[in-house]
Amino acid sequence: GLLTDKGICKEYLGKRGEALQDFRSAIAIHGKILGSDSRQAANTYFWMGMSYMGGGNASEAAVCFEKTIPGMRCGVAGDKWKMYWNAGCSFQSSGDYEKAKEYLLKAYVHNQAVIKEATAFVDEERRYEVEIKEALRAIYEMEGGNRRSFERWLRREAKKAEKEEKQYEKLP
């Protein structure tokens, strides 16, 4: 919407406070007209999260990125892994490692689906595959896991995350 676009422009101009106000106004309108779970609301929450991350506020960014999830669930796999990546990274930066792990595992699952089904270049997905694995490895080792068993742990946990995502997709 126009307020979201206006906020994006202000963010690029370095007017973060004004941008955030425009994003908040857009969210209020989305909530009344389209619902807070709409794709438009998800887009606004995404940009709001980017603005908070740019300002160094990972915990507020995490809240915004998490709110993108309902509106983006119906999106393509390429959108999904990026949505989960943003949420996971911001939760990791804010110190909530459980939520970070949950979202990073889902990012990994959707990232792998894009790579597996790709008929074109997947350079960005391959680059992020490495970054997602590095973020998960850091959490895994922080929880006491050792480097040699990481790949086995990742396969097991990714299967659980994939199963959870498939169950969600079956809901009306």
Side-chain angles (χ1 to χ4, degrees):
L2 288 174
L3 284 171
T4 300
D5 291 345
K6 187 175 165 188
I8 294 167
C9 291
K10 288 181 180 174
E11 177 66 24
Y12 281 115
L13 292 171
K15 298 178 180 181
R16 183 161 288 124
E18 291 179 33
L20 287 168
Q21 187 54 49
D22 287 339
F23 295 141
R24 284 185 203 100
S25 297
I27 291 297
I29 292 169
H30 293 315
K32 289 178 184 173
I33 298 172
L34 303 169
S36 59
D37 291 351
S38 70
R39 182 120 174 140
Q40 291 83 353
N43 183 52
T44 303
Y45 278 122
F46 167 79
W47 285 105
M48 193 176 205
M50 294 300 288
S51 187
Y52 278 123
M53 279 302 278
N57 191 338
S59 58
E60 285 295 327
V63 169
C64 291
F65 289 135
E66 191 170 42
K67 288 180 179 182
T68 67
I69 294 168
M72 297 294 277
R73 286 240 190 219
C74 61
V76 296
D79 290 341
K80 289 179 182 180
W81 77 258
K82 292 173 187 174
M83 165 193 69
Y84 286 127
W85 166 250
N86 287 329
C89 285
S90 55
F91 276 112
Q92 188 171 23
S93 294
S94 67
D96 189 338
Y97 301 109
E98 272 309 303
K99 278 196 171 184
K101 181 169 61 173
E102 174 189 345
Y103 290 130
L104 290 169
L105 282 165
K106 290 177 181 182
Y108 180 76
V109 165
H110 288 288
N111 173 271
Q112 293 301 290
V114 170
I115 291 170
K116 182 180 176 183
E117 297 169 12
T119 56
F121 298 106
V122 289
D123 294 340
E124 179 184 36
E125 284 77 10
R126 290 277 186 209
R127 188 177 80 249
Y128 276 100
E129 174 187 26
V130 171
E131 291 187 34
I132 294 166
K133 287 173 82 172
E134 286 174 3
L136 283 165
R137 181 178 282 121
I139 293 170
Y140 175 72
E141 290 176 2
M142 190 175 61
E143 292 178 340
N146 71 41
R147 234 173 179 15
R148 287 183 287 173
S149 60
F150 171 73
E151 290 293 330
R152 186 173 52 243
W153 172 86
L154 178 60
R155 283 190 300 276
R156 184 180 67 243
E157 293 300 313
K159 282 182 185 179
K160 289 179 192 175
E162 183 175 23
K163 188 176 180 180
E164 184 180 313
E165 283 293 282
K166 285 183 179 179
Q167 281 182 318
Y168 184 87
E169 289 172 2
K170 291 178 185 177
L171 295 175

